[in-house]
Structures are given as structure tokens and as C-alpha cells.
Amino acid sequence: MFKKLLILPFMAIILVFAGCEAQKNNAAIESAIAEAKAAANAASGEAANATKTAQRAEAMTEQNRSALRALNDKIDRMFRTISRK
């Protein structure tokens, strides 16, 4: 009987402390989830920037190619004109 009177309060105290610790862990888990979401958002933002940069580079490459084609055509016309004379 005396053992039961001692064991029950100690068990109750342990359960209370375990409950308090669980609440702290939930806060830690929530903060970890928030950090993971922030990192994912940053990564998606970086991916979007990388995509835009790649598209700009592709557009510049195409512009350079068209300029080189125009220059090549001009040089060809010039050589044709020279060869006729």
C-alpha cells in the first residue's frame, strides 16, 4: 500500500514532464519544418533565376548567330562583286 502511494505520484510527475518535453519537441519540429520550407522556396527562386538566365543566354546566342549570318552574307556578296570585276 505504501509503495503504491509513492509510485503513483512519481508516475504522475514523470508523465507531466514527458508532456512538457513533447510540447518543446513539437516546437522544434515546427521550426525545422519552417526552415525546410524556407530553403525549398529559396531553391525554387534560384531555379527560376537560373532558368531566366539560361533563356537570356539562349536569346543572345541566337542574336549572335543571326548577326554572323548577316555578316557572312555581306562578305559573300562582296566577294561575288569582286570576282565579277
Side-chain angles (χ1 to χ4, degrees), residues 36-53:
K37 285 181 182 178
N41 288 338
S44 67
E46 290 174 7
N49 288 338
T51 303
K52 287 179 185 177
T53 303

Side-chain angles (χ1 to χ4, degrees), residues 48 69 71 76:
R69 277 189 223 112
L71 183 61
D76 284 345

Side-chain angles (χ1 to χ4, degrees), residues 39-74:
N41 288 338
S44 67
E46 290 174 7
N49 288 338
T51 303
K52 287 179 185 177
T53 303
Q55 289 172 347
R56 286 183 195 142
E58 187 177 347
M60 288 177 66
T61 302
E62 188 57 38
Q63 186 178 11
N64 288 339
R65 283 183 186 159
S66 69
L68 285 173
R69 277 189 223 112
L71 183 61
N72 194 20
D73 290 343
K74 189 174 184 177

Side-chain angles (χ1 to χ4, degrees), residues 1 15 31 35 45 60 80:
M1 178 86 170
L15 289 174
S31 67
E35 288 176 11
M60 288 177 66
R80 278 189 227 131

Side-chain angles (χ1 to χ4, degrees), residues 7-42:
I7 292 174
L8 289 176
F10 285 121
M11 292 298 281
I13 291 173
I14 290 172
L15 289 174
V16 167
F17 286 142
C20 292
E21 186 65 29
Q23 290 174 355
K24 289 179 186 175
N25 286 337
N26 286 340
I29 290 170
E30 288 175 8
S31 67
I33 290 171
E35 288 176 11
K37 285 181 182 178
N41 288 338

